[in-house]
Amino acid sequence: MEAVITILALLFVAFIALGVYMTVKAVGAAKRGVDRTITQARRTVEDTTLRAKSFGQPGVAGELAQLRLTLRTSMRATQDALHAGVAEDSSLAESVGLFRRLSAHGLELDEELKRLEREPDRATVAGLLPQLRERTERITHSADSLRWAARDHARQFADDDLDALNAQIDIEAGALRHWTVEEQQQSGQGQGAGAPQRRDAGVDWPEPAAGGGSSSTADDSWGGPAREEAPQAITAPDPRLRTTYPWQKSARPETTN
């Protein structure tokens, strides 16, 4: 009885621990979802504000907002492309590492531009604009190069896979149409068998022995050329030497008047 109670107590404790673990996981997932939503909303608001400043405020303020907007747009697009590509192709891991190092410079530049937006000395900020513009172009150029290289790599990988797939499909299609190959082989064999017949058509078969009644019939059955009948002699043939065939009619006896 005590063993049963102990087992039930352990099962109860296990269910309680499992429930607490699942609750913590659900709360953590919900918190991460809320954080992502807040971050996305803050990012959207900040990008909208920068876009409005770049078009609405002339001078130094508008230039700084444009630089920040260009930098953030390029870095975000490259980050999304690399993170989406590395999930399918592990060879992009090195590119992701390089982008992390580039992101450190990009975040530093973005913070500097953000501080300069609140700087009251516009003349000093205007003197720093060429240098800030050059740094922004260098970072965005590197980010764009990584992004387009990753896209070209993915497209080339897809093209190679498509070429291999097309080759396999061609082989399978040829295997499914095996009867066409057999027909071609049979046609070739038929043409080869007909060639000797054409050559044999011009061959003169040996002449049968003289006096053989069935030689003419046998010669005609093979399709050989017909022989010309030998000319008869001037002297009358001897009736005793004449060969009589079954199909020939007997000569009528001469009647005497």
Side-chain angles (χ1 to χ4, degrees):
M1 188 64 182
E2 293 179 358
V4 174
I5 295 174
T6 303
I7 293 175
L8 292 176
L10 291 176
L11 290 176
F12 179 75
V13 172
F15 281 120
I16 294 296
L18 182 61
V20 171
Y21 175 76
M22 295 299 295
T23 303
V24 171
K25 293 288 289 183
V27 170
K31 183 182 178 186
R32 288 192 297 271
V34 171
D35 292 341
R36 285 195 299 267
T37 303
I38 293 174
T39 302
Q40 183 67 26
R42 185 185 298 114
R43 183 183 303 166
T44 303
V45 171
E46 191 168 4
D47 290 345
T48 304
T49 303
L50 290 175
R51 191 171 289 105
K53 288 182 178 179
S54 63
F55 288 105
Q57 293 183 0
V60 178
E63 184 70 19
L64 292 174
Q66 183 63 39
L67 291 178
R68 286 191 65 194
L69 183 62
T70 302
L71 177 64
R72 292 163 65 90
T73 302
S74 177
M75 298 296 288
R76 189 178 300 118
T78 303
Q79 179 181 1
D80 294 342
L82 291 178
H83 287 176
V86 76
E88 300 177 357
D89 188 2
S90 59
S91 62
L92 295 177
E94 186 176 357
S95 300
V96 173
L98 293 175
F99 178 74
R100 289 196 184 101
R101 296 173 56 186
L102 184 64
S103 296
H105 294 278
L107 292 174
E108 181 181 357
L109 178 59
D110 184 66
E111 290 294 331
E112 184 176 355
L113 292 173
K114 189 175 181 179
R115 287 194 303 269
L116 291 176
E117 286 180 350
R118 299 187 296 268
E119 179 63 40
D121 190 359
R122 295 301 180 182
T124 304
V125 176
L128 296 176
L129 280 178
Q131 180 183 359
L132 296 173
R133 191 181 299 109
E134 181 183 359
R135 287 177 60 189
T136 303
E137 290 177 356
R138 290 177 60 186
I139 294 175
T140 55
H141 175 72
S142 298
D144 294 342
S145 298
L146 276 177
R147 182 174 69 254
W148 285 109
R151 291 177 178 175
D152 293 341
H153 178 76
R155 185 170 58 253
Q156 182 63 36
F157 180 79
D159 292 341
D160 293 341
D161 184 69
L162 181 60
D163 292 340
L165 180 60
N166 289 335
Q168 293 178 0
I169 290 175
D170 292 340
I171 294 174
E172 182 64 19
L176 292 176
R177 295 193 183 97
H178 60 87
W179 66 87
T180 58
V181 179
E182 294 178 356
E183 290 177 356
Q184 292 177 359
Q185 292 178 354
Q186 293 176 359
S187 176
Q189 292 177 358
Q191 293 177 359
Q197 294 177 359
R198 289 192 299 269
R199 289 195 300 270
D200 294 341
V203 176
D204 293 332
W205 296 96
E207 295 291 340
S214 61
S215 61
S216 177
T217 305
D219 191 31
D220 293 340
S221 64
W222 285 102
R227 297 191 305 275
E228 295 182 358
E229 211 173 298
Q232 297 181 355
I234 299 177
T235 59
D238 190 354
R240 292 175 299 176
L241 299 178
R242 180 179 299 173
T243 303
T244 304
Y245 296 98
W247 60 82
Q248 292 180 344
K249 296 182 180 180
S250 58
R252 294 180 180 180
E254 297 182 358
T255 58
T256 58
N257 294 331

